[in-house]
Amino acid sequence: MYARLIEFSGADPDKRENAIQTIRGTVIPMLQQYDGFAGYIALYDATNRRAKAILLWESEETAEEAEKTLAERRQKLAASVGLTVESADLYEAPVVEFEGARV
């Protein structure tokens, strides 16, 4: 499994709920259309106005193929909720274990 760690700045606490709605209503359904998409985790740090997202992919190939179109989409979607994309790095995820339901 592979994980793309995306770092954002400008996470305005007043826009948090709008960002969550955009993630659930637009981002995740869009990602589900890509072959190999395996999951999404959103992280939020209100104190430092930062956010991160972890996109899980079944393989390096599916992650890289998706990135060909996702990079531009990510910039536009982030800007629509007041965020700036700082980085989008791909990592091998040799251990991924989840217990529990969607939050």
Side-chain angles (χ1 to χ4, degrees):
M1 184 160 283
Y2 280 75
R4 186 165 304 278
L5 175 62
I6 304 162
E7 298 185 75
F8 303 94
S9 61
D12 184 342
D14 294 334
K15 296 180 181 176
R16 181 180 181 271
E17 289 307 313
N18 183 41
I20 291 170
Q21 289 176 0
T22 299
I23 292 166
R24 287 195 169 137
T26 304
V27 174
I28 292 173
M30 176 188 63
L31 291 169
Q32 290 170 330
Q33 302 303 308
Y34 285 87
D35 288 337
F37 174 71
Y40 186 96
I41 300 169
L43 305 171
Y44 181 68
D45 176 356
T47 303
N48 295 302
R49 299 173 50 95
R50 296 180 308 183
K52 296 184 184 194
I54 300 170
L55 283 66
L56 298 173
W57 298 95
E58 292 176 0
S59 69
E60 183 177 19
E61 292 77 21
T62 57
E64 294 293 11
E65 185 63 29
E67 189 66 9
K68 291 176 183 177
T69 57
L70 284 177
E72 183 178 337
R73 288 180 173 186
R74 179 182 307 120
Q75 296 289 343
K76 290 178 182 177
L77 282 166
S80 76
V81 294
L83 297 172
T84 300
V85 177
E86 298 295 337
S87 65
D89 299 316
L90 188 63
Y91 294 87
E92 181 182 8
V95 177
V96 175
E97 183 71 35
F98 287 109
E99 291 187 37
R102 174 182 164 208
V103 178

